[in-house]
Amino acid sequence: MSNIKQNASEEAEFAKPLYTPIKRRSFFMYAGATAGATALLLSGCDDDDNEIVTPNGTVNLGSGDVGVLNYAYALEQLEAAFYAQVKATPAADFSTLEKDYFNQVAAHEAIHRDFFKAAINRDAPGQIIPGLTPIFTSIDFTKRASVLATAKTFEDLGVAAYNGAGKYLKTPAYLVIAGQIVSVEARHAAYVRDLISPGSFADDSIIDANGLDKAMEPVDVVTAAQSFIKEKLDASRVGK
Amino acid sequence: MNILRIIEQLSEVDADVLGRFDSRRAVFKSLGNTAKMGALAAAPVFVSSLFSKAYGQTTTPSVVEVLNYALTLELLEEDYYKKMTAAGRVPAGVAAGAIATILKHETAHVKLLSDTIRALNGTPVTNVKFKTSAFPADYPTQLVVAQALEDTGVRAYKGQAGNLLGKMAGTTSLLQVALQIHSVEARHAAHIRTMRMQAPWIPASDSNLPAPLGPVYTGTIREDNVIQSNVNITSQLGTPYSANDAAASFDEILTMAEVLDASRAGGFVQG
């Protein structure tokens, strides 16, 4: 970058190497997800004064875009663990169709979790949070009602979390990914709500008079989710 | 990273690469200025926007244009549900209640977007109506079109998120407001889909449906896509996942031009 010459012959100079061969694969690397730019942006947010897990066991989600990605990864870990249990020990009073649909939801959430893990490790090596330990003692997985109530909490919270975190992302490609996931979470939320009470997919308890879904700040979401996670999470610098 | 080398290499597989940027001279001039100002920290952001400009939509719409586009879709939906209510085919009970809930939200979105556009000194679009000749007489087909409108809306809002990044109206993040509408549209879509005995999310097979639904799930990026951010979800996550789960776990965007095409929402607007 510092070698750029400021003179009138610059175009002639740049024209010369335009025929250097390139592998198709590299092209997609550059044009696809602006991966190179992203990696630089993330490394710029690296904080050497911040450990990911502090001596007292607190998990620091980090700052900047990688903080938002870690935050999403934490929530997806929680949801994936929950639905994995629902799938492994389905409530006896679930219908066959409900079981099938919850198996699909379990796959969606596991995919989200694994995707974030892969993306963070690729774009921000060394900055990913560890695997978290869920606490599901308050949930009776043998009862449909208990499972549905928890699913509703997690899905509505997930939607509000993504809605509130989008504005903290600086990389457009990540914002699009977050948008691609949040609408799937909203579909899950609507489905679960309708199972609890038909027609409650978007009722006044969750949608305001302006027709808006909830949006929550990272620290508030973590406070709401903390009782389900053993490790203490610090979201205070997410997106900052 | 050497931006010049990247552009060189791109030109090898894409002869038009330099034409995609504003102009060669302008690109190199602004690169030079960036370097001169010593704003190297900003360079990755600059590079990123350079490429999304070159390979994304050709021109970036203004905030008011984006909001008027959203308003157009909301007016279309609002009028559709008004027509659906007036036609009197929706069964009383949960079904009628759901349509009333959805109509209430679309009306609220119309007002919110119109007010916001005015606050930004813009002129909100008005008088967008659902094409009378395209309105279905029977209830099952009315639900098909409702699903088409809702799932199109979800894809449309998602497609504009990047254009609202960092955009404010006073202290309000317009991106956040758009996301808060976007997830409501997704809730509507999920419910309408279940009224039709469909999965609340979008299975890969929907991309192969006949019109009017098929085109809703196609486009430059189809809803049966399984590659996200260069990661093949079915094969590159350690655990293998089915193509259907991979497709359904991520919704996809539609561009403004795709949404307004006659094969999608554009075809439903009264001329």
Side-chain angles (χ1 to χ4, degrees):
Chain A
M1 205 65 97
S2 56
N3 290 335
I4 295 172
K5 294 191 176 110
Q6 303 290 308
N7 60 48
S9 66
E10 60 188 11
E11 286 201 21
E13 278 194 50
F14 292 129
K16 196 177 157 197
L18 288 179
Y19 304 96
T20 316
I22 182 178
K23 287 181 185 134
R24 249 187 106 67
R25 201 161 145 185
S26 316
F27 167 78
F28 288 112
M29 243 176 68
Y30 293 134
T34 58
T38 295
L40 267 182
L41 187 64
L42 288 169
S43 65
C45 302
D46 201 350
D47 293 304
D48 16 83
D49 59 334
N50 255 328
E51 291 170 287
I52 295 167
V53 182
T54 63
N56 69 4
T58 298
V59 173
N60 184 349
L61 298 175
S63 61
D65 277 11
V66 68
V68 180
L69 298 183
N70 269 329
Y71 168 57
Y73 177 47
L75 295 174
E76 297 293 354
Q77 283 191 52
L78 180 62
E79 287 190 306
F82 169 72
Y83 288 110
Q85 189 63 52
V86 172
K87 184 181 175 181
T89 57
D93 46 350
F94 268 133
S95 73
T96 306
L97 181 65
E98 287 167 355
K99 259 184 258 184
D100 178 30
Y101 277 180
F102 276 110
N103 288 349
Q104 292 184 39
V105 174
H108 301 163
E109 304 298 6
I111 287 170
H112 295 162
R113 175 198 61 202
D114 293 352
F115 170 82
F116 278 116
K117 186 177 183 182
I120 296 167
N121 279 329
R122 178 192 68 191
D123 295 348
Q127 295 184 63
I128 195 166
I129 59 166
L132 303 173
T133 317
I135 302 173
F136 291 150
T137 48
S138 64
I139 307 159
D140 184 351
F141 285 94
T142 67
K143 299 280 193 303
R144 181 179 180 273
S146 175
V147 169
L148 292 182
T150 311
K152 176 184 166 189
T153 301
F154 286 172
E155 296 294 353
D156 280 342
L157 187 64
V159 171
Y162 280 102
N163 282 350
K167 61 181 181 288
Y168 294 124
L169 285 167
K170 294 172 188 69
T171 310
Y174 291 151
L175 176 61
V176 174
I177 288 287
Q180 290 181 254
I181 291 175
V182 65
S183 53
V184 175
E185 303 293 350
R187 292 173 190 276
H188 295 167
Y191 172 62
V192 171
R193 288 177 145 267
D194 278 340
L195 289 182
I196 294 172
S197 174
S200 69
F201 58 101
D203 67 19
D204 293 350
S205 72
I206 195 78
I207 310 299
D208 72 15
N210 287 320
L212 299 182
D213 214 321
K214 289 196 190 309
M216 287 172 70
E217 290 299 306
V219 286
D220 298 326
V221 170
V222 163
T223 301
Q226 189 64 68
S227 68
F228 296 100
I229 302 169
K230 186 177 162 209
E231 296 81 6
K232 172 121 180 61
L233 299 184
D234 180 358
S236 61
R237 295 173 65 243
V238 168
K240 307 248 162 61
Chain B
M1 171 179 357
N2 186 336
I3 174 67
L4 301 174
R5 196 162 159 70
I6 292 172
I7 294 173
E8 279 165 24
Q9 294 185 335
L10 281 174
S11 71
E12 193 61 28
V13 286
D14 179 359
D16 284 330
V17 62
L18 294 175
R20 290 173 184 273
F21 300 121
D22 299 339
S23 82
R24 282 176 75 163
R25 188 181 295 274
V27 169
F28 293 128
K29 191 158 174 263
S30 47
L31 278 171
N33 288 340
T34 308
K36 199 158 55 187
M37 290 186 301
L40 284 172
V45 179
F46 172 77
V47 172
S48 173
S49 70
L50 193 66
F51 283 117
S52 52
K53 243 178 153 172
Y55 288 95
Q57 283 159 326
T58 44
T59 52
T60 308
S62 71
V63 168
V64 167
E65 282 168 345
V66 171
L67 297 181
N68 260 327
Y69 164 68
L71 177 56
T72 301
L73 294 176
E74 297 289 354
L75 285 165
L76 182 65
E77 288 182 313
E78 183 192 33
D79 188 58
Y80 183 75
Y81 291 112
K82 280 182 179 168
K83 284 187 163 74
M84 197 169 164
T85 307
R89 297 294 181 91
V90 184
V94 174
I99 297 303
T101 297
I102 294 173
L103 172 57
K104 182 175 80 171
H105 294 157
E106 310 303 9
T107 299
H109 296 162
V110 164
K111 180 174 187 309
L112 182 64
L113 289 167
S114 300
D115 290 349
T116 306
I117 291 166
R118 276 187 218 100
L120 294 168
N121 296 316
T123 306
V125 295
T126 52
N127 210 28
V128 176
K129 301 289 181 197
F130 189 91
K131 193 191 279 181
T132 310
S133 62
F135 185 79
D138 65 289
Y139 174 62
T141 313
Q142 287 172 7
L143 287 181
V144 168
V145 174
Q147 180 183 325
L149 289 173
E150 294 295 346
D151 272 334
T152 300
V154 175
R155 300 190 70 184
Y157 273 97
K158 205 187 314 296
Q160 295 307 310
N163 288 330
L164 294 176
L165 193 69
K167 305 294 188 205
M168 307 292 288
T171 57
T172 304
S173 162
L174 291 173
L175 171 63
Q176 180 165 307
V177 171
L179 287 172
Q180 288 175 275
I181 296 177
H182 169 247
S183 61
V184 172
E185 300 295 338
R187 287 173 188 266
H188 293 172
H191 186 81
I192 298 279
R193 294 181 65 93
T194 55
M195 290 171 88
R196 298 190 56 245
M197 305 298 165
Q198 302 294 305
W201 35 89
I202 304 171
S205 55
D206 276 16
S207 294
N208 296 316
L209 288 171
L213 284 176
V216 171
Y217 305 108
T218 59
T220 308
I221 306 175
R222 295 160 54 98
E223 283 287 358
D224 57 6
N225 173 41
V226 299
I227 298 171
Q228 303 296 343
S229 186
N230 296 331
V231 177
N232 187 317
I233 302 297
T234 62
S235 61
Q236 294 183 322
L237 289 180
T239 310
Y241 292 102
S242 74
N244 194 53
D245 288 336
S249 58
F250 288 82
D251 283 345
E252 304 292 346
I253 66 158
L254 278 177
T255 65
M256 219 180 255
E258 286 173 331
V259 169
L260 299 177
D261 187 80
S263 69
R264 301 190 183 88
F268 290 134
V269 179
Q270 182 78 57

